[in-house]
Amino acid sequence: MYENDLEATAPRPPSDHRLLHLLALNPTDSVTEGYLPAAARLGLTVTVLTDQPDAHERALARYAADGGTLPELTVTPCAVRDFREVVSHLAALPRRPGAVFSNSDHLQVQAALAADFLGLPGKDWRAALRTRDKAELRRALAAAGLDTVRSAELPAGRDPAVLLAARPPLPMPCVVKPREGVASEDVFLAADTAELLARCREIQRRRPGEALVVEEFLDGPVRTLETLGDGRVLHPFAAFRTDISPPPHFIEERLVLLPEPPRPHTTQVLAQLRALGVGLGACHTEYVAQGDRARLIEVNYRSIGDQCDLVLAELLGIPLFEHVLRAHLGLPLPARLGARTDARARLEYIVADRPGRLVSAPAASVRETDGVRLDYRPLRETGTERPLHRTNRDFLGVLRATGTDQHRIDRVVAEFLAVNRWEIAP
């Protein structure tokens, strides 16, 4: 018998299904207000592994001070971007957790690899990689014979001029983006080859060492499909219409909940997700509707963010965050989620249009008006000064409007925006 055989047969420490290890970078509302309270309701003990422990401690303290319920938890420093550090930390524990989970785009592969190493339920790391890597996503869908978006990959450090030799030639206009980017950061519409080369070089200066992807521009209305899966069933449970800022940037300005996931687009998106290997937990997919065709923009293998998941959990009457955590613990989802079908919602993002200091803005408020619940939350404190990012980091606040009548919701939102002001001084 060889030494490696001894290691392979060494007993693993016992698993405790009451323990959850959650990987995180910066604090997010989804984790602080969604997944951690859900863990408390499930009776779980949580360890937050993060490279920003102080920021999480502050966010948790604020949430608890506002009356939020949190589980028994500890915040532990860890270089979570490095899967080897995550595996090393977890493998040294006296008890294996019941699940390793992350809601971060940046940490899905690490969480999946750690769960697989420990023999725990988890996402297929290959599926996590396919959805994270936009070039690999396009290759996987093309190999499956599904709707294909023309694209080309620009490796890190390469001269963008090599894109001019792509065969077939890249269509114009086209979209250039970081291969593993998020939140529409450094995503641009290029009108011609000259602008394409200029944008690529501009991004390379800001993000040295990162690969880029150039894709066919998908013109048409933007939709999302929200899904929940347990590795066996995959439920489409919500869909949004997304209003995007004018080109050349792609900033989400507004999301409106659709009455039901639209067909035949839903069927096509589900087929594409299965081809990518997506099936466990939450997934937020963005696509462009071109007639009957659903053409994927990107797949985010986590729950929808920017407070949309919090709205869905409240509005649809389903334990959304608990379902996701149970799925990662290896428990089955119900055959039917039982989500409300009469609910309507609109999320309006107030976006900074210039750099500078936020001088004045409305305070947080919650009120009922004509059957519509308005919940306004500031996302940037007055007095703070920031550059313009052309991403959701430019959000000054979010207005969450919910009810059962879309016309009333739209009217009440328009009235709120008309009487409030957000002033930025240079």
Side-chain angles (χ1 to χ4, degrees), residues 70-115:
L70 294 170
E72 179 184 344
L73 66 82
T74 56
V75 178
T76 301
C78 182
V80 285
R81 290 181 184 269
D82 188 338
F83 76 92
R84 295 163 297 187
E85 292 295 321
V86 175
V87 168
S88 177
H89 174 88
L90 295 174
L93 296 173
R95 291 183 298 167
R96 281 186 302 153
V100 180
F101 168 74
S102 180
N103 196 55
S104 169
D105 284 306
H106 304 280
L107 302 178
Q108 293 304 317
V109 175
Q110 293 89 330
L113 285 169

Side-chain angles (χ1 to χ4, degrees), residues 3 13 23 61 81 96 105 139 165 171 186 240 354 360 411:
E3 181 182 356
L23 311 187
R81 290 181 184 269
R96 281 186 302 153
D105 284 306
R139 287 191 289 266
D186 281 326
F240 287 93
R354 72 198 75 172
S360 63
R411 176 173 54 77

Side-chain angles (χ1 to χ4, degrees), residues 308-326:
C308 291
D309 47 1
L310 299 174
V311 168
L312 290 176
E314 296 172 4
L315 191 63
L316 300 183
I318 59 175
L320 173 60
F321 299 104
E322 289 92 329
H323 279 330
V324 175
L325 294 180
R326 287 193 189 103

Side-chain angles (χ1 to χ4, degrees), residues 203-280:
I203 299 171
Q204 287 176 327
R205 286 193 296 271
R206 279 195 296 270
R207 306 166 79 118
E210 290 196 35
L212 305 181
V213 173
V214 181
E215 299 181 342
E216 167 188 357
F217 172 55
L218 302 177
D219 192 15
V222 178
R223 303 284 185 264
T224 85
L225 185 68
E226 314 307 321
T227 56
L228 274 174
D230 61 9
R232 294 170 291 272
V233 299
L234 188 59
H235 292 295
F237 70 94
F240 287 93
R241 185 195 83 216
T242 304
D243 294 341
I244 305 293
S245 63
H249 305 285
F250 297 86
I251 307 169
E252 293 180 352
E253 297 181 333
R254 182 179 306 104
L255 279 88
V256 176
L257 184 66
L258 298 176
E260 62 179 31
R263 302 182 185 277
H265 298 146
T266 296
T267 302
Q268 293 176 31
V269 172
L270 290 177
Q272 293 175 83
L273 292 179
R274 291 190 177 98
L276 295 169
V278 170
L280 182 69

Side-chain angles (χ1 to χ4, degrees), residues 156-170:
R158 293 287 297 277
D159 186 341
V162 302
L163 294 170
L164 304 183
R167 292 292 179 268
L170 289 167

Side-chain angles (χ1 to χ4, degrees), residues 329-345:
L329 287 164
L331 302 175
L333 290 172
R336 294 183 179 275
L337 296 179
R340 286 179 56 186
T341 58
D342 64 337
R344 301 292 181 267

